[in-house]
Amino acid sequence: GIQVEQSPPDLILQEGANSTLRCNFSDSVNNLQWFHQNPWGQLINLFYIPSGTKQNGRLSATTVATERYSLLYISSSQTTDSGVYFCAVDLSGSARQLTFGSGTQLTVLP
Amino acid sequence: ETGVTQTPRHLVMGMTNKKSLKCEQHLGHNAMYWYKQSAKKPLELMFVYNFKEQTENNSVPSRFSPECPNSSHLFLHLHTLQPEDSALYLCASSQLGSYNEQFFGPGTRLTVL
């Protein structure tokens, strides 16, 4: 099956710093999503980005499908950005199955 | 609020109990999913329902029994679970088609004693 690898596994930042999270995948994909999981377990949709670049406030993402990777940029980080960031991809047919990476645990210190 | 709700949010049960998890989506989607998230592991897909028909069962033990009575509701019936089944169970929904973004509920944190 498809492999999804995220790096780094853990990241500690000072408030105000910028960061880049990476997601590599082993096959071509129909869909790629980035999520933020808060401390209570809720997965919050950040981006639906099978290709190209999108921006939403301090967050932006880029997927280069031909090279099988996606990047999530967080600028001017805040303590509320802490949590686990997941990348998930699917390459299936009519019933979309997301395969998740292991996540990046981000801690933003005040 | 993602438009997907789950109840209960927390559940503690013994190995001989029978309980059910409920998921409801208010997004008009036609596909629903159950995922399991164990500690220190990525999310694992358990079941997929497409227009109320189960299309995927990723080798899930029979002690987990899904039910999808309509495209807005999804249940996961639990019986004779094991302590290793303790996990966060997440429900998701999506609209199948060219744009298939999945939205997740807040999850049910299950503890099996």
Side-chain angles (χ1 to χ4, degrees), chain A residues 6-71:
Chain A
Q6 290 187 243
S7 60
D10 296 280
L11 184 58
I12 300 175
L13 301 174
Q14 208 66 41
E15 198 167 29
N18 302 330
S19 61
T20 301
L21 282 57
R22 187 177 181 100
C23 173
N24 292 333
F25 42 95
S26 60
D27 208 339
S28 57
V29 298
N30 293 321
N31 172 17
L32 187 145
Q33 291 184 243
W34 281 99
F35 297 91
H36 175 213
Q37 188 169 39
N38 67 22
W40 299 271
Q42 174 75 63
L43 279 168
I44 299 161
N45 290 41
L46 298 178
F47 294 101
Y48 173 93
I49 186 164
S51 63
T53 297
K54 290 186 178 179
Q55 179 149 10
N56 184 2
R58 296 181 295 103
L59 272 60
S60 64
T62 295
T63 297
V64 184
T66 53
E67 297 187 21
R68 300 181 184 170
Y69 72 88
S70 183
L71 302 173

Side-chain angles (χ1 to χ4, degrees), chain A residues 30-31 33 35 37 39-48 54 86 90 94-102, chain B residues 2 9 33 35 37 42-43 45 48 50 55-56 58 88 90 96-106 109:
Chain A
N30 293 321
N31 172 17
Q33 291 184 243
F35 297 91
Q37 188 169 39
W40 299 271
Q42 174 75 63
L43 279 168
I44 299 161
N45 290 41
L46 298 178
F47 294 101
Y48 173 93
K54 290 186 178 179
F86 287 105
D90 101 75
S94 60
R96 307 296 193 182
Q97 298 187 45
L98 286 180
T99 299
F100 280 75
S102 298
Chain B
T2 62
R9 296 293 308 276
Y33 311 79
Y35 289 84
Q37 187 179 26
L43 275 77
L45 180 68
V48 180
N50 177 357
T55 56
E56 296 294 333
N58 280 6
L88 181 67
L90 291 156
L96 296 179
S98 59
Y99 189 87
N100 183 58
E101 185 175 3
Q102 290 191 23
F103 293 85
F104 283 78
R109 193 163 296 279

